[in-house]
Amino acid sequence: QVQLVESGGGLVQPGGSLRLSCAASGDLLRFYIMAWYRQFPGKERELVASITSTSTTNYIYSVRGRFTISRDNAANTVTLQMDSLKPEDTAVYYCNRMPGVEFAWGQGTQVTVSS
């Protein structure tokens, strides 16, 4: 079973950038659609971006043009480059397969956008 560990979050000012990383162990990611999700306080987790095994990407409308999802199958990692961050991006960010696999949810990484 795969274990996923997210990192790279932190506190950033509006307009700033963060690069989130998802490191996997226990399985190879190359066969799966991978995704980043986020969860706002008191809300359900939502899909942010996805990437197929051949690197086809998709994004929710609110992050298009600002976020970029990528993968390195050799390194077994998935990355989310977050630019032009807005306060409404503040959330805990998670990576997982799409659809998500329950046993694979990690701790997530907190992104806080505030001045």
Side-chain angles (χ1 to χ4, degrees):
Q1 294 182 331
V2 67
Q3 297 88 50
L4 300 170
V5 179
E6 302 91 347
S7 62
L11 176 63
V12 65
Q13 296 184 60
S17 297
L18 287 171
R19 187 175 181 87
L20 308 185
S21 181
C22 174
S25 63
D27 199 5
L28 299 177
L29 305 181
R30 65 183 66 190
F31 307 109
Y32 308 120
I33 300 173
M34 295 298 298
W36 284 93
Y37 304 80
R38 66 186 178 187
Q39 187 170 30
F40 304 116
K43 302 293 185 179
E44 297 291 321
R45 187 158 41 213
E46 68 176 23
L47 178 70
V48 177
S50 64
I51 183 166
T52 70
S53 60
T54 55
S55 296
T56 297
T57 60
N58 201 10
Y59 304 86
I60 58 171
Y61 176 80
S62 62
V63 308
R64 288 182 181 179
R66 300 188 299 118
F67 291 8
T68 304
I69 187 171
S70 61
R71 67 193 301 159
D72 185 342
N73 288 335
N76 218 29
T77 58
V78 183
T79 297
L80 186 68
Q81 177 66 44
M82 309 167 67
D83 299 319
S84 301
L85 283 162
K86 303 175 180 180
E88 51 262 45
D89 295 317
T90 296
V92 179
Y93 285 72
Y94 302 86
C95 65
N96 207 333
R97 292 169 59 178
M98 192 180 79
V101 179
E102 283 302 317
F103 61 77
W105 294 111
Q107 292 284 295
T109 186
Q110 176 71 49
V111 171
T112 302
V113 185
S114 177
S115 59

